[in-house]
Amino acid sequence: MNSNIYCGQNAMEDVVNALDFCSFKVTDSNIAKLYPELTAGAYVIPAGEKSKSPEMLFNILAKMQESNVKRGDRIASIGGGVVSDITGLAASLYMRGVEWTNIPTSLMAMVDAGIGGKTAIDFCGIKNLVGTYHKPVQIVINTDFLSTLPEREWVCGAGELIKTCLLSEDAYRELYDKLGGFRAKKPDYVYALISRCVEIKNAVVVADPKEQNLRKILNVGHTVGHALESADNYKLSHGEYVLKGMMTEAAMCKDIIEPKFYRQLLEMTRCFTSAPRTTANVVLEKATHDKKNVGSTITLMVPASYANVMEVRMETKDFIERYNQAIKELR
């Protein structure tokens, strides 16, 4: 594992030590209430996706200037994916870039959003349209934070955790064997799967830091998932939309997926969510703005089996036909 990433249980002391090097902290309203001592003096943004806005970004930058943050200083993110996305973006822009430490507190952030340095805000109704690559200098994962995680955020993290475990045969088999223990929130099962995901995600990021090739495999379920999320105005958690995206995209491309793997993938995703109800035309309109698209086609990253993700490009007519058929089958 990358030396700048630490993952442990009972690791609050490591979190506190990491924050001692930071002159400015950002958190959200939920974490501030749950951990008042840890977040004392932090700039607090409202919890939720709507905080990933241009207005909130410039509020953070203004507060950094007001707090006299210097180019040589380090700032910190304490929270889930929303907090790390916008804090990392602010760190990349302020004085053309300052260092930042990430303290992920949600399952989704621990297995995905907190690793890799992709930062972003939502813009013009499109999720993550404006962003940069700016890796944190340190990531400290303390799985004890998960003891206060709401059920909705467990589902959110489950989406990214399942997606990541699909990328490795060993991780996939471990996930399938331990899914019951994970759903029951048994700490050792949760820690083992998080550690596995951190290793996988970090290896992919190191090999392809700016998503030019290999890193695209991390977008399984995200084309339809992001489209559903934007169309739904973020009513559910990001990870639940990823789950819906995974099951829908798999059903759309079942002709290229190994049958046993397809059945197991639907079994796992259905443990946490149900098929989407958004119409094909609405999903298509949002999906046409996806960053992975090439020309007039829609790009899906589809797991044909474990550790075998394929890039599939569809013309709009084919996309609509396959989406409608998939929804019919999934229901």
Side-chain angles (χ1 to χ4, degrees):
M1 191 179 298
N2 194 312
S3 60
N4 78 325
I5 303 176
Y6 174 78
C7 181
Q9 297 173 290
N10 305 311
M12 191 60 78
E13 183 177 349
D14 298 279
V15 170
V16 172
N17 290 338
L19 291 175
D20 283 344
F21 289 93
C22 302
S23 61
F24 183 85
K25 299 179 288 188
V26 180
T27 192
D28 70 25
S29 51
N30 289 340
I31 299 301
K33 290 176 183 177
L34 290 168
Y35 302 97
E37 292 185 7
L38 188 69
T39 59
Y43 184 70
V44 181
I45 66 175
E49 184 75 21
K50 291 184 178 179
S51 280
K52 282 176 55 175
S53 67
E55 293 79 13
M56 189 60 66
L57 171 65
F58 280 94
N59 286 346
I60 293 172
L61 291 170
K63 192 66 177 180
M64 289 170 67
Q65 191 278 328
E66 181 183 322
S67 301
N68 200 31
V69 174
K70 299 290 197 304
R71 178 174 285 180
D73 289 344
R74 183 182 301 181
I75 70 172
S77 161
I78 313 168
V82 169
V83 179
S84 65
D85 276 356
I86 195 167
T87 304
L89 182 55
S92 74
L93 296 174
Y94 188 82
M95 293 188 174
R96 298 193 178 94
V98 295
E99 291 184 346
W100 70 295
T101 288
N102 193 20
I103 311 294
T105 60
S106 71
L107 180 59
M108 188 271 287
M110 291 179 187
V111 301
D112 184 74
I115 303 166
K118 287 173 71 172
T119 77
I121 56 170
D122 306 332
F123 190 63
C124 294
I126 307 299
K127 185 175 176 68
N128 296 337
L129 186 62
V130 175
T132 63
Y133 290 91
H134 189 55
K135 288 183 65 175
V137 295
Q138 186 179 30
I139 301 167
V140 181
I141 297 171
N142 174 26
T143 58
D144 287 0
F145 280 123
L146 300 179
S147 64
T148 58
L149 198 67
E151 182 62 30
R152 175 180 176 179
E153 294 304 320
W154 271 99
V155 174
C156 179
E160 295 291 353
L161 185 141
I162 291 172
K163 175 208 76 176
T164 304
C165 286
L166 297 179
L167 308 180
S168 159
E169 180 176 353
D170 290 343
Y172 173 78
R173 295 190 186 283
E174 184 174 3
L175 168 68
Y176 196 71
D177 290 341
K178 293 182 176 178
L179 189 62
F182 172 78
R183 290 182 66 198
K185 304 175 185 176
K186 294 183 178 179
D188 289 345
Y189 283 64
V190 172
Y191 172 72
L193 289 171
I194 289 174
S195 297
R196 177 75 75 168
C197 287
V198 171
E199 292 174 0
I200 295 169
K201 174 74 184 283
N202 187 60
V204 172
V205 168
V206 169
D208 183 15
K210 294 194 175 181
E211 202 171 298
Q212 299 300 308
N213 189 12
L214 177 65
R215 192 169 176 175
K216 292 179 182 179
I217 66 176
L218 297 173
N219 288 314
V220 169
H222 279 60
T223 299
V224 170
H226 276 174
L228 291 169
E229 192 170 10
S230 296
D232 223 10
N233 199 27
Y234 313 107
K235 290 179 182 177
L236 305 176
S237 68
H238 169 70
E240 186 165 355
Y241 286 112
V242 171
L243 287 164
K244 290 179 183 293
M246 275 193 286
M247 66 164 57
T248 305
E249 292 179 13
M252 291 171 71
C253 302
K254 64 179 296 186
D255 52 317
I256 65 169
I257 301 178
E258 195 275 320
K260 181 181 178 181
F261 176 78
Y262 175 70
R263 292 193 299 271
Q264 290 179 342
L265 178 58
L266 291 191
E267 176 189 343
M268 288 190 292
T269 54
R270 281 173 167 158
C271 286
F272 298 96
T273 193
S274 58
R277 296 187 175 275
T278 311
T279 64
N281 286 333
V282 172
V283 172
L284 175 65
E285 192 278 326
K286 296 295 184 181
T288 55
H289 300 289
D290 193 276
K291 298 182 290 297
K292 298 182 293 300
N293 294 338
V294 177
S296 62
T297 60
I298 307 297
T299 300
L300 309 181
M301 301 304 297
V302 180
S305 63
Y306 45 72
N308 180 22
V309 177
M310 300 178 64
E311 185 175 58
V312 178
R313 295 176 184 171
M314 294 183 186
E315 298 292 342
T316 55
K317 181 180 179 182
D318 191 28
F319 181 93
I320 289 176
E321 289 177 354
R322 285 177 177 264
Y323 179 89
N324 284 331
Q325 182 59 38
I327 296 306
K328 183 178 179 181
E329 176 179 329
L330 291 171
R331 290 179 184 170

